[in-house]
Amino acid sequence: MRVLGIETSCDETGIAVYDTELGLLSHELYSQVKLHADYGGVVPELASRDHVRKTLPLIQRALANAGSTAADIDGVAYTSGPGLVGALMVGACIGRSLAFGWQVPALGVHHMEGHLLAPMLEDERPAFPFVALLVSGGHTMLVRVDGIGQYQMLGESIDDAAGEAFDKTAKLMGLDYPGGPRLAKLAEQGQALPELSFPRPMTDRPGLDFSFSGLKTAASQAIAKQPTTGHSDADIAYAFQQAVVDTLAIKCQRALQQTGLKRLVIAGGVSANVELRRQLEVLTAKLGGQVFYPRNEFCTDNGAMIAFAGAQRLQAGQSEDLAVITKPRWPLDTLPAVSLPAVSFPAV
């Protein structure tokens, strides 16, 4: 089955063609970073308008690079949530319209399920069951995954997501948008200082939920005291990153021990963080397990993960009628399960 995937949930337009027998045939990505940089964050209306301009040309390019035409497409998958409602509507309307015109089934895909399954696009992929840490600018959650659609929520952020905390702290430090990756890069120049240590929120109590708003406040206080303390931006960035990474690692260890599982998946934009990967690789090795994550280009929003996730469900016979439905808020654990025999993971 050959599926066209469309991702327009926020500020990146991602298009891909995935074949259940041949693997990923093509993927195209356009980032709106420059468009939103002057505003210090994503402007929803501008994001929607840019998706309108970019989606169809990228679809044409992805089809050409996949050596495919409309006649070769057996299904269309598009992100229907969570995300910015206007941006979601663009991809949903285009995807649904193309499917109707091509007379093929269409399916709205859960954005976070796309991230969760992104490591399946790699040659070395995790077997079910596993624990997944989904960590991005909008979400931080731990999930037990027994199969596609078989998700048990173990914990999530009660306020800011980890990526959101990175971005907000970077903005306080005067770093350009997008701030999270810039803060992580700056942290590479910093060093550990005994007197500069931030809290590891909610690690002093049982449970797997997260909270990062207080950590952001602690960082803002350290930034305000710089004229007195003399701490460099790099040292503050280092201390902040270590606090976030330590917190995520502690909760991942608890989740693995609580479930008795050995395999850990990390996905989402923050999963590209080098220090986070390093700590989780050390952690899983000590526990006799293994950590899996997608290549960097599939950590951030992309069409490949949507095409892949959609292909698994379309191949299992799931599809939707002509109604265009977007779900800006959509709990991951409400998704229907996909029977394992229908799932195929060819080499990329």
Side-chain angles (χ1 to χ4, degrees):
M1 186 177 202
R2 189 163 296 187
V3 174
L4 174 70
I6 303 172
E7 156 60 24
T8 62
S9 65
C10 190
D11 60 342
E12 277 140 345
T13 310
I15 308 295
V17 177
Y18 181 84
D19 191 291
T20 54
E21 293 182 0
L22 302 176
L24 185 64
L25 301 182
S26 69
H27 66 98
E28 302 291 331
L29 184 68
Y30 177 81
S31 174
Q32 300 177 3
V33 166
K34 291 183 180 179
L35 176 66
H36 301 288
D38 290 342
Y39 305 95
V42 177
V43 181
E45 179 64 23
L46 295 181
S48 302
R49 292 180 182 182
D50 211 43
H51 286 309
V52 171
R53 289 189 288 265
K54 298 298 192 303
T55 303
L56 284 176
L58 285 177
I59 288 174
Q60 293 172 335
R61 189 187 306 171
L63 287 172
N65 289 340
S68 302
T69 66
D72 300 313
I73 299 301
D74 302 306
V76 178
Y78 53 87
T79 304
S80 57
L84 303 175
V85 65
L88 291 168
M89 283 295 295
V90 176
C93 288
I94 291 175
R96 193 71 206 81
S97 299
L98 288 176
F100 177 75
W102 295 345
Q103 296 185 332
V104 298
L107 182 71
V109 173
H110 193 294
H111 179 74
M112 295 312 294
E113 180 172 65
H115 277 303
L116 188 154
L117 298 178
M120 300 294 186
L121 288 163
E122 305 303 326
D123 290 331
E124 186 178 17
R125 57 182 68 92
F128 299 117
F130 55 79
V131 170
L133 171 67
L134 302 180
V135 57
S136 66
H139 300 83
T140 303
M141 61 180 76
L142 281 164
V143 186
R144 177 185 172 122
V145 181
D146 289 291
I148 295 179
Q150 299 177 47
Y151 308 133
Q152 178 189 352
M153 296 298 301
L154 301 175
E156 58 188 327
S157 179
I158 62 174
D159 43 53
D160 291 352
E164 184 180 5
F166 262 98
D167 289 338
K168 288 181 176 179
T169 300
K171 192 170 185 178
L172 290 172
M173 298 179 71
L175 300 177
D176 292 335
Y177 172 85
R182 298 181 189 278
L183 188 152
K185 188 67 176 178
L186 181 62
E188 295 177 5
Q189 306 170 29
Q191 59 181 329
L193 299 175
E195 74 276 11
L196 184 60
S197 178
F198 297 143
R200 276 56 175 167
M202 297 183 70
T203 59
D204 58 349
R205 68 194 76 172
L208 295 172
D209 286 335
F210 302 90
S211 172
F212 293 105
S213 62
L215 180 56
K216 178 193 63 183
T217 301
S220 69
Q221 292 173 345
I223 293 168
K225 295 176 181 177
Q226 276 184 283
T228 303
T229 63
H231 294 142
S232 69
D233 285 347
D235 290 340
I236 292 176
Y238 178 90
F240 175 82
Q241 176 174 264
Q242 288 303 121
V244 174
V245 170
D246 286 351
T247 300
L248 294 172
I250 290 169
K251 293 304 179 81
C252 283
Q253 180 173 350
R254 286 184 186 177
L256 291 170
Q257 292 173 334
Q258 177 177 307
T259 60
L261 300 178
K262 299 294 184 181
R263 289 179 290 271
L264 175 68
V265 160
I266 53 170
V270 182
S271 68
N273 183 281
V274 175
E275 180 60 18
L276 176 61
R277 290 187 178 188
R278 187 193 68 78
Q279 281 210 31
L280 293 182
E281 286 172 353
V282 172
L283 167 65
T284 52
K286 287 182 178 178
L287 296 176
Q290 188 175 0
V291 63
F292 300 84
Y293 42 78
R295 69 195 79 167
N296 283 354
E297 62 186 320
F298 294 154
C299 289
T300 54
D301 296 349
N302 63 87
M305 68 182 191
I306 301 303
F308 177 83
Q312 308 313 312
R313 292 186 173 276
L314 286 165
Q315 187 175 230
Q318 296 183 19
S319 63
E320 296 173 344
D321 57 25
L322 288 174
V324 175
I325 300 174
T326 57
K327 303 175 182 177
R329 298 183 183 277
W330 188 6
L332 182 65
D333 55 2
T334 63
L335 295 177
V338 173
S339 58
L340 289 178
V343 180
S344 61
F345 303 134
V348 178

